[in-house]
Amino acid sequence: LLMDTSTKAPGDGVTESRYGSEQKEPSLECFRCGVCCIKYQVPLNPAESQRIADYLGLTLETFLDRFADRRWPGQGSLLCHLDGACAFLDYDPNGKLNNCRIQPVKPAACRDWKPGLHPPECREGLSRHWQLSVNSSGQLEGSEEKFSEFLSFLKSLATGK
């Protein structure tokens, strides 16, 4: 089954984004696969570290001792990984509903992440958790059953149900 993502409307879980003035590329809302949280160790500036510490009810020093890798050059640090992923990723064993424990105060690198059909991390999540892939034409493909499950999941994320 193929899905032409360029024809889906917002609210269908698939939207279009513009990159530059001419080129259109389909994108997905984040489907919370957690692959980016596993692959990257996120940089933190001092203000982000303080904001997260405050959110967690920790002193800055305690937060940095527990959750920051201070080997990053300059004034900042890196958010630590524990058990192979971001220390704040609540990883669902089936991978279909991962949560960020610091979502309201997550670092800029996380807020600025642009999920979609083209980032390799998102493609890996589609393949790993949904057995879907993106073909060379930018269409999602996979079994009708998996495709239907995925669309239902995206709708549930959008509606909170």
Side-chain angles (χ1 to χ4, degrees):
L1 180 68
L2 297 177
M3 181 179 110
D4 179 359
T5 56
S6 63
T7 62
K8 289 292 178 184
D12 286 342
V14 179
T15 59
E16 284 188 6
S17 297
R18 282 208 176 263
Y19 298 92
S21 58
E22 300 289 323
Q23 186 178 8
K24 284 185 184 181
E25 290 190 20
S27 66
L28 286 174
E29 296 299 321
C30 178
F31 55 94
R32 295 165 53 182
C33 68
V35 173
C36 57
C37 304
I38 293 167
K39 296 235 178 208
Y40 298 108
Q41 197 173 359
V42 176
L44 294 171
N45 65 42
E48 290 171 325
S49 294
Q50 184 66 62
R51 193 168 37 256
I52 296 168
D54 291 346
Y55 180 77
L56 296 171
L58 301 172
T59 66
L60 178 60
E61 198 58 38
T62 299
F63 169 77
L64 293 172
D65 287 342
R66 289 186 190 170
F67 300 109
D69 178 345
R70 297 185 196 197
R71 294 176 294 170
W72 188 253
Q75 298 260 339
S77 59
L78 295 173
L79 198 52
C80 281
H81 271 205
L82 299 173
D83 299 323
C86 174
F88 296 104
L89 177 66
D90 275 333
Y91 193 73
D92 179 16
N94 74 17
K96 292 186 178 174
L97 196 57
N98 300 300
N99 291 301
C100 175
R101 290 192 304 263
I102 58 168
Q103 181 71 23
V105 293
K106 65 184 178 182
C110 300
R111 282 192 317 271
D112 294 343
W113 174 257
K114 301 294 184 226
L117 295 176
H118 297 288
E121 300 78 13
C122 297
R123 286 183 179 217
E124 183 178 328
L126 284 167
S127 175
R128 182 187 300 176
H129 302 299
W130 297 99
Q131 293 77 51
L132 296 172
S133 61
V134 180
N135 68 21
S136 61
S137 299
Q139 296 175 321
L140 281 176
E141 54 186 11
S143 74
E144 188 171 334
E145 176 187 358
K146 291 295 182 181
F147 186 74
S148 179
E149 282 179 25
F150 182 65
L151 288 181
S152 293
F153 177 75
L154 289 176
K155 287 180 183 179
S156 75
L157 290 177
T159 61
K161 296 179 184 175

